[in-house]
């Protein structure tokens, strides 16, 4: 089993749609969790950290379920500019483990 | 506001050649790391360092060497380039791991082709 697994995608949605990405991780000792965004041929950039209580940043909501070892990202009212690859990232010890990413394409 | 600076951005190597990818950060981060990103494989950790003089192997260290003589610099050396090392390489840095919310800063990437 891969350490961090994500929905394979791609997700193709119209503007204004709500889309959810899921991620599971295998190491129960994982400490911190993040969603990163990566645009084509660019470096990954932090979208948001994920906390046990869940957290929201504008149209983006992240949830963590430690018991099920599951992380989610919800994007509401999708914009064209949300088109990118979203990486689920899990910290275990001093290592960051990246999922392969889920590609989102938002069309008008 | 330089952040993480990687050079070169593009490089073509012949099989067997050696080269060094440079990485420097000006944020006084203890933690620095190198990843490679291949299609369908995601980002994989090559080597990392938690401070000057300390390095450790990641998931895919074979064929690469690193050193950390200063806090700012973390070069990645390809000892004898192979076509399998054709990839995009990212250097990243942050304050020491273990603190929730630590932001990892990435360089812009180095596109390496080995022919």
């Amino acid at each position: 089993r891969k350490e961090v697994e994500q929905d394979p995608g791609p997700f193709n949605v119209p503007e204004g749609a709500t889309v959810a990405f899921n991620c599971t991780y295998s190491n129960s000792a994982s400490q911190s969790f993040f969603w990163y965004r990566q645009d084509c041929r660019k470096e990954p950039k932090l979208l948001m950290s994920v906390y046990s209580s869940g957290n929201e940043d504008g149209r983006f909501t992240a949830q963590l379920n430690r018991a099920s070892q599951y992380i989610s990202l919800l994007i509401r009212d999708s914009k064209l500019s949300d088109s990118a690859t979203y990486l689920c990232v899990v910290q275990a010890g001093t290592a960051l483990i990246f999922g392969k990413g889920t590609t989102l394409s938002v069309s008008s | 506001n330089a952040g993480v600076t990687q050079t070169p951005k593009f490089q073509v190597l012949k099989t067997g050649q050696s080269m060094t990818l440079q990485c420097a950060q000006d944020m006084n981060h203890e933690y620095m790391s190198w990843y490679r990103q291949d299609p369908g494989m995601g980002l994989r950790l090559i080597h990392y360092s938690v401070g000057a003089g300390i390095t450790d192997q990641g998931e895919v260290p074979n064929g690469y060497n690193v050193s950390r003589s200063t806090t700012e610099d973390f070069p990645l050396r390809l000892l004898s380039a192979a076509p399998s090392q054709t990839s995009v390489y990212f250097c990243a840095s942050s304050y020491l791991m273990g603190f929730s919310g630590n932001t990892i800063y990435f360089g812009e990437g180095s596109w390496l082709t080995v022919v």
Side-chain angles (χ1 to χ4, degrees):
Chain A
R1 181 183 172 183
K2 300 290 184 185
E3 291 198 56
V4 178
E5 292 196 70
Q6 294 186 240
D7 286 348
F11 285 67
N12 299 301
V13 303
E15 275 187 292
T18 296
V19 61
F21 302 143
N22 302 317
C23 172
T24 57
Y25 61 95
S26 59
N27 187 344
S28 60
S30 299
Q31 301 136 287
S32 299
F33 310 88
F34 310 91
W35 283 101
Y36 273 72
R37 170 190 169 131
Q38 186 174 26
D39 294 298
C40 187
R41 299 180 69 81
K42 296 288 188 181
E43 73 274 23
K45 293 184 179 178
L46 179 67
L47 179 66
M48 57 197 305
S49 301
V50 188
Y51 304 113
S52 296
S53 56
N55 48 302
E56 186 173 309
D57 183 3
R59 298 181 292 108
F60 299 84
T61 300
Q63 297 278 352
L64 167 65
N65 184 322
R66 285 188 182 269
S68 301
Q69 296 180 204
Y70 171 92
I71 305 159
S72 66
L73 176 69
L74 182 75
I75 305 176
R76 292 182 300 277
D77 189 22
S78 298
K79 311 291 185 191
L80 293 174
S81 58
D82 293 335
S83 297
T85 297
Y86 292 83
L87 305 172
C88 175
V89 186
V90 173
Q91 179 202 337
T94 54
L96 282 180
I97 310 299
F98 285 78
K100 294 182 181 180
T102 301
T103 299
L104 173 65
S105 177
V106 182
S107 57
S108 57
Chain B
N1 188 17
V4 180
T5 304
Q6 275 183 248
T7 56
K9 192 169 180 68
F10 300 99
Q11 182 73 49
V12 178
L13 282 179
K14 293 183 179 178
T15 297
Q17 285 185 317
S18 63
M19 77 157 296
T20 300
L21 298 177
Q22 302 290 346
C23 177
Q25 52 90 11
D26 60 358
M27 297 171 281
N28 203 31
H29 286 163
E30 302 96 340
Y31 184 88
M32 295 187 74
S33 54
W34 277 101
Y35 291 86
R36 59 177 290 173
Q37 188 173 33
D38 303 292
M41 299 295 292
L43 281 149
R44 291 183 292 170
L45 182 64
I46 304 171
H47 285 284
Y48 66 96
S49 167
V50 297
I54 306 169
T55 63
D56 208 344
Q57 296 181 350
E59 180 185 357
V60 288
N62 292 339
Y64 307 95
N65 271 356
V66 291
S67 60
R68 185 95 180 269
S69 56
T70 67
T71 299
E72 295 78 19
D73 299 299
F74 191 46
L76 178 72
R77 297 183 190 84
L78 280 69
L79 309 172
S80 177
S84 61
Q85 294 179 302
T86 294
S87 188
V88 182
Y89 292 84
F90 288 102
C91 179
S93 76
S94 78
Y95 291 111
L96 266 176
M97 307 306 293
F99 298 96
S100 180
N102 264 351
T103 298
I104 311 298
Y105 295 87
F106 285 85
E108 292 184 338
S110 297
W111 272 255
L112 176 66
T113 301
V114 183
V115 298

